[in-house]
Amino acid sequence: MRVLLLGGGGREHALALGLAADPAVDQLIAAPGNPGIAGVAELRSVDPADPAAVAALAVETGVDLVVIGPEAPLVAGVADAVRAKGTPAFGPSAEAARLEGSKTFAKDVMTAAGVPTARAYTCTDAESTARALDEFGAPYVVKNDGLAAGKGVVVTDDRAAALRHAEECGRVVVEEYLAGPEVSLFVVTDGEAAVPLLPAQDFKRVGDGDTGPNTGGMGAYAPLPWAPPGLVDEVMRDVVHPTLAEMARRGTPFAGLLYVGLAITADGPRVIEFNARFGDPETQVVLALLETPLAGLLHAAATGTLAGHPPLRWRDGAAVTVVVAAEGYPAAPRTGDVISGAECPGVIHAGTRRDADGALLSSGGRVLCATATGADLAAARDAAYALVAGVELAGSHHRTDIAAAAVEGRITIPG
Ligand code: AMP
């Protein structure tokens, strides 16, 4: 099988490793890729969010499957353009990707499908925002109603800050605060059949102890030793299948990766958000544990044959990833610093590039994801931090508590 992978971050490096390890894959091409992905794929400098350019590349290279990593190409209609040329694409249509692209649309679908989620109002002016904030009370949750690369959400006790964020965004969703530990559940679907991957947890805040501003994600681990038994079955029954059925009913079936972000509250799992693609950095840990060949799974979803796919197989043990971020991330990341110690197994490239002399430089806020597996969560955590210790990048920072609360049994579900 020949596969074209779109994107160039840590998620795509993890996807590239999984695709390249599939014995059915004899050629892997990535656009634009990154220096880590270059180790397992041929790179092409095509803009992954340009539907016509990607479709032309898929035809030119004769690939059997296009795997779309980031959200921007999905919302731009890249999956539609590729499919229109007759090539299977793993990723939803632009219409279906609105589950991620518009918070209001997602809430609308959830309401119609009876999916348990936070109560919410869409607000476009200060007056209605203030009314919604006062109805729900603190902590206040204000979300930009558009794609914000995971950074458009403010959760704060400061009412003035909540109002300010709403004013900056223009159109926002104000919602009730959901208390409880968070879970990321990835579901591979062809629009009808749906296969859950292992639940994972990520760390959104920049600082230890969940302090500081939200980021794209500072680390992740899987599986979740504290998750209630039956959680995945319950989410498939109450969230995933009703959502897929509602999308199909609207004539815009969702095929690709449905990312369900949940809070496990006293009243059970509640959806915080949907995304239309693999999450970053949870992908790094989930795929590190997946034994089933990845390209075959994604191809089945892209060709409507997922119901006939064999059950997934998982490695024993656990996986942890720790993000090494650039100085100033998330507010104003500094780029262009020399990186050393990054070229070893388990170090996933997220924001790196090579200069003309071949030196590895930082090129984004999240630079590397030190990813390791182990016999249990404690061993995986130790191994991931040993990888972090081997990386040198001036001014970089990382969280020191990724998976710590889970290892120490400190995660509790309210109620
Ligand atoms: P989102 O982009 O919707 O995933 O939001 C980013 C982060 O904000 C989530 O991972 C949560 O930590 C937090 N968050 C979003 N919505 C809520 C909510 N309703 N209650 C509590 N925390 C939330």
Side-chain angles (χ1 to χ4, degrees), residues 297-395:
L297 175 66
L298 304 187
H299 188 264
T303 54
T305 58
L306 195 58
H309 191 275
L312 300 188
R313 286 179 283 111
W314 296 97
R315 298 191 174 93
D316 292 335
V320 172
T321 191
V322 179
V323 170
V324 176
E327 179 171 326
Y329 178 76
R334 188 179 75 195
T335 58
D337 286 302
V338 175
I339 307 165
S340 61
E343 286 168 86
C344 66
V347 177
I348 287 182
H349 290 224
T352 70
R353 67 177 175 88
R354 281 195 199 283
D355 69 8
D357 302 325
L360 193 65
L361 304 179
S362 60
S363 67
R366 295 189 293 172
V367 181
L368 301 165
C369 309
T371 309
T373 56
D376 58 21
L377 207 48
R381 175 176 147 76
D382 289 347
Y385 277 105
L387 283 175
V388 172
V391 168
E392 275 181 52
L393 169 62

Side-chain angles (χ1 to χ4, degrees), residues 103 118 141 143 150-151 153 155 175-179 182 202 204 214 272-273:
K103 303 264 183 204
V141 181
K143 302 185 173 189
K151 290 158 218 145
V153 178
V155 180
E175 64 179 45
E176 81 182 301
Y177 179 79
L178 297 170
E182 289 180 37
D202 80 338
K204 281 274 189 335
N214 265 330
I272 289 182
E273 63 163 346

Side-chain angles (χ1 to χ4, degrees), residues 278-292:
F278 281 99
D280 192 344
E282 299 97 310
T283 302
Q284 285 80 319
V285 289
V286 171
L287 294 187
L289 296 170
L290 180 67
E291 206 166 70
T292 298

Side-chain angles (χ1 to χ4, degrees), residues 109-117 238 242:
V109 170
M110 283 190 257
T111 303
V115 166
T117 185
D238 296 344

